[in-house]
Structures are given as C-alpha cells and as structure tokens.
C-alpha cells in the first residue's frame, strides 16, 4: 500500500510533490490505515555522469535527501526505471547499467523499484523478458538492501506464471488504467481467472488507483476500490494527496474495506456468479467468512442477489455492510440489495 506519482502528476512530478504526498500520508490518516510506500514514477532521471552513474534531473536534486525525508516520516520510498535504453516517457533507462543502478538506488535509500518494459522492446526479444527481469532482481539482491520489485510489462507472456520466479513481488497484469469507469472496469473485471497465481509476497497488479482524480463519480470510485480489495491488489493511491477531499479520503482509508485487501489468508477473489452486467465476486477471508461484492455494471439501478450456495457457507449467515460499518442481520440462503448504476454493495458474509 502506498502512493505513486504517475496517475495524477505524470511527467510534471517534482521532489516537492513527492514530499507533499508524504506529508499528507503521514498526517491525514493514510499512514495509520496502512499506506507506506511513496513511489516516484517516470521522469525523475537526468543524465549519467562520466562514470555512468545515473543522476536525477533538476526537478529532483538530491535523491538521498528526499529518501531521508520520506524515511523521517516513517514511510518508504520507491523509484522507477526500465530495462531498456529509455523509459516510456523517453528518460534514461537501465540498459547496460543494471548493476550500477541497483547499487545507486540502494545507496540513496530506496525501498521499491518499478521496472517498466518500455523501450526494452527495441533491444530484446520478448522471450528474453524472463532473463531481463531476473538480471535486475539479482542486482537488487546483491545490494543487500531489501527492495520490493515491481514488474511492469503489461501482462506480456502471461507474467503471472513466471513473475514470482524472477523475484517479482508484484507484476502488472494489464496495460495502463485511466480515470474513466469503462477503462477501470474492463481492467478490474478482466482479472477473473488470475487468482491462483497470486499469494503472499507475489501479487497480481491491475494497476494503480484513480480514486480522487475526478473522472469517475462517487459510486464508480466505490466500485474501483471494492473491486481492487477483492482482487487483493496492491493499493497505490494515484491522486494529488495535498488536495484530497474528505470523500476521497474516506474511500481510501475505510478500515473494513482495507482489511479485505490486507486479509491474512492472502487469497485473491474471483467472480462467483454473473447475469449479464450484474456480477458477484467473493474473496475468502482468514476468519472463515467471505468478502462479497455485488457489482452493477449496467446503466440503471438494479436489485441484486448473492446466493449462499455459491459460497461454501452455512445458512443462515450474518451480513455486514463494509462501507457503512453496519450489521444488516441474519439471512437464509441469500441476501438481496438494490445496487446503483456502476455501483457496488460490498459486504461480509459469515
Ligand atoms: C507505462 C506504465 C505506467 C507509467 C508510465 C510512465 O505506461 O505502464 O504505469 O509508469 O509508463 O511513463
């Protein structure tokens, strides 16, 4: 859990934006809710010096000082590179400098690396991808610093089958998300079937959150967050945290909702029933209960039902509304609720 600069700031990001994000996380309740990593995405890089050492550009200045600042808040810091000569935005990549870059990140004090395929496409064949990712992983290990390794290659080559074997702690399963309901929902609902590949220490990553960026309405952002927690997805907020509204903050920090994502059993949820645009998803929890999402992908409100026989659950079972923190009572065989257009009911059944 954490934050990443890309979805809101893209290439405009500066060190001041990263510090402001850390200040916000440390003071607005996000840190207490579990958000830890403050991740710089693309566009921090400058040129290499005469010894080939990567330097930040003028928007970033002293990277060690930035890392110290983030650590001083009790948070961790992430950085970004590409195995290719250039990153996706055309900045300096790590091609031919893998060992040197890993050492540099460790010296600066980084705790997380997102490694984005981008121009590696021009210098490698797709079937070399496993070796290319392993090369950077081995370089990171040799630094002696624990560094989370985030694979970003858009799901090519069924990465979920080999991501963990090259040391990936998370791997993107899709092309990029954007701040629209249609794109978010295609990505999220397409994750069904990948659940067996995720587990503690190595997760499917359906891309970062757009909650609070303004392109979806309240119900749609509840759907985004509900789906991501049922998917046991990495939760990297992608909005401008220095300007977060109370509504956005309440979506990002709802404790019962986050507890679904972070549940100790570490199982990714899946679709258990579908009737056209009405989908029911469930995730088994460590306490024997299930988190269940009733998702209405249609264009108008609709009644929806979860049948307990689709879960391995004794009936009657108790139902709790996780967004509202409200016990809804005991139900036999099924639970029904009206779900708004593009909205979600997120409940726990036990
Ligand atoms: C790719 C990645 C994004 C982001 C950009 C940066 O598109 O998928 O998440 O990192 O590159 O250029």
């Amino acid at each position: 859990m954490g934050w990443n600069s890309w979805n809101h700031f893209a290439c405009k990001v500066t060190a001041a934006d990263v510090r402001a994000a850390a200040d916000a996380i440390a003071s607005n309740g996000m840190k207490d809710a579990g958000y830890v990593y403050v991740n710089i995405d693309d566009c921090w890089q400058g040129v290499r010096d005469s010894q080939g050492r990567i330097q930040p550009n003028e928007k970033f200045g002293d990277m060690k000082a930035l890392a110290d600042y983030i650590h001083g808040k009790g948070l961790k810091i992430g950085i970004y590179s590409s195995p290719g000569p250039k990153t996706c935005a055309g900045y300096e990549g790590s091609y031919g400098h893998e060992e040197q870059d890993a050492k540099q990140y460790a010296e600066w004090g980084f705790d997380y690396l997102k490694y984005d395929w981008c121009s590696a496409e021009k210098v490698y064949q797709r079937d070399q991808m496993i070796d290319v990712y392993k090369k950077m992983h081995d370089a990171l290990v040799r630094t002696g610093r624990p560094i989370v390794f985030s694979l970003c290659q858009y799901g090519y080559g069924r990465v979920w089958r080999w991501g963990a074997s090259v040391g990936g702690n998370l791997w993107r399963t899709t092309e990029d998300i954007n701040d629209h309901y249609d794109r978010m929902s295609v990505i999220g609902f397409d994750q069904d079937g990948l659940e067996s590949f995720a587990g503690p220490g190595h997760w499917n990553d359906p891309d970062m959150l757009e909650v609070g960026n303004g392109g979806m309405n309240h119900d749609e952002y509840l759907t985004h967050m509900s789906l991501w927690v049922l998917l046991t997805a990495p939760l990297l907020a992608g909005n401008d945290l220095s300007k977060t509204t109370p509504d956005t903050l309440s979506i990002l920090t709802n404790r019962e909702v986050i507890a679904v994502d972070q549940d100790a059993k570490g199982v990714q949820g899946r679709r258990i029933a579908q009737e056209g645009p009405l989908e029911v998803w469930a995730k088994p929890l460590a306490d024997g209960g299930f988190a269940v999402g009733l998702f209405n992908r249609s264009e108008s409100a609709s009644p929806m039902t979860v049948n307990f026989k689709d879960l391995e659950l004794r009936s009657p079972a108790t139902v709790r509304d996780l967004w509202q923190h409200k016990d809804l009572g005991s139900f036999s065989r099924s639970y029904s609720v009206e779900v708004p257009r593009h909205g979600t009911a997120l409940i726990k059944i036990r």
Side-chain angles (χ1 to χ4, degrees):
M1 291 175 69
W3 173 84
N4 172 292
S5 58
W6 183 254
N7 284 355
H8 178 82
F9 292 96
C11 257
K12 295 197 294 289
V13 66
T14 66
D17 297 325
V18 176
R19 285 173 196 245
D23 293 345
I25 292 173
S27 62
N28 68 6
M30 287 178 71
K31 183 180 166 193
D32 295 336
Y35 293 85
V36 172
Y37 289 91
V38 178
N39 293 349
I40 306 166
D41 205 274
D42 206 349
C43 310
W44 63 268
Q45 308 87 337
V47 292
R48 293 185 183 276
D49 70 10
S50 54
Q51 270 110 56
R53 284 183 305 219
I54 185 75
Q55 306 293 310
N57 60 42
E58 61 293 344
K59 293 186 297 144
F60 279 85
D62 187 339
M63 296 299 262
K64 172 99 174 60
L66 181 57
D68 288 348
Y69 183 84
I70 307 294
H71 291 147
K73 302 252 155 194
L75 300 169
K76 295 185 180 208
I77 185 164
I79 200 161
Y80 168 101
S81 192
S82 169
K86 296 284 174 208
T87 67
C88 293
Y91 288 75
E92 192 68 20
S94 292
Y95 183 63
H97 294 274
E98 295 81 1
E99 201 75 30
Q100 203 174 19
D101 285 359
K103 264 179 84 182
Q104 182 66 78
Y105 305 150
E107 273 170 29
W108 282 334
F110 278 86
D111 308 293
Y112 185 115
L113 172 67
K114 172 174 169 182
Y115 206 43
D116 194 351
W117 185 244
C118 304
S119 72
E121 192 76 10
K122 299 207 177 102
V123 290
Y124 296 114
Q125 303 297 318
R126 288 258 175 107
D127 63 8
Q128 292 177 283
M129 202 177 263
I130 293 180
D131 293 339
V132 169
Y133 275 92
K134 188 163 182 310
K135 183 174 196 178
M136 183 49 107
H137 174 252
D138 293 348
L140 292 173
V141 169
R142 276 193 290 273
T143 69
R145 185 175 176 87
I147 299 179
V148 171
F149 192 34
S150 161
L151 275 51
C152 179
Q153 41 77 288
Y154 337 113
Y156 293 166
R158 299 202 279 187
V159 61
W160 43 85
R161 292 183 176 256
W162 54 265
S165 75
V166 297
N169 300 111
L170 60 161
W171 47 80
R172 277 270 296 279
T173 53
T174 76
E175 301 276 349
D176 293 14
I177 196 169
N178 64 39
D179 191 20
H180 293 99
Y181 174 77
D182 288 345
R183 180 68 187 148
M184 177 280 294
S185 57
V186 163
I187 286 181
F189 292 111
D190 265 3
Q191 300 300 301
D192 191 45
L194 298 186
E195 60 277 358
S196 64
F197 302 102
H202 53 94
W203 309 100
N204 289 311
D205 173 12
D207 208 353
M208 304 167 295
L209 297 171
E210 292 282 6
V211 176
N213 278 332
M216 293 182 234
N217 67 31
H218 176 78
D219 287 334
E220 292 168 341
Y221 281 138
L222 290 183
T223 292
H224 185 9
M225 191 75 182
S226 301
L227 189 49
W228 261 237
V229 302
L230 287 166
L231 291 171
T232 319
L235 299 178
L236 291 170
N239 58 317
D240 180 358
L241 296 178
S242 70
K243 299 196 178 72
T244 315
T245 63
D247 179 56
T248 295
L249 206 51
S250 73
I251 296 173
L252 290 174
T253 60
N254 187 303
R255 294 297 179 95
E256 292 189 44
V257 173
I258 286 176
V260 173
D261 187 75
Q262 298 289 308
D263 182 76
K265 196 173 171 93
V267 172
Q268 178 173 324
R270 64 182 182 87
R271 185 187 291 123
I272 58 162
Q274 179 171 14
E275 190 178 324
L278 308 176
E279 303 196 10
V280 182
W281 286 62
K283 165 175 168 149
L285 302 173
D287 68 3
F290 287 85
V292 174
L294 298 98
F295 294 100
N296 176 3
R297 299 178 70 182
S298 82
E299 295 303 316
S300 56
S302 177
M304 290 190 66
T305 297
V306 50
N307 291 306
F308 299 166
K309 69 166 167 42
D310 292 334
L311 302 160
E312 280 135 40
L313 262 185
R314 269 179 288 124
S315 187
T318 58
V319 177
R320 181 170 171 84
D321 184 320
L322 296 178
W323 282 111
Q324 304 299 326
H325 307 309
K326 215 166 105 193
D327 287 326
L328 301 172
S330 180
F331 295 82
S332 294
R333 287 184 290 280
S334 68
Y335 169 76
S336 297
V337 61
E338 176 90 357
V339 182
R341 162 188 183 268
H342 293 182
T344 306
L346 184 67
I347 56 177
K348 178 166 171 179
I349 310 183
R350 242 195 115 181

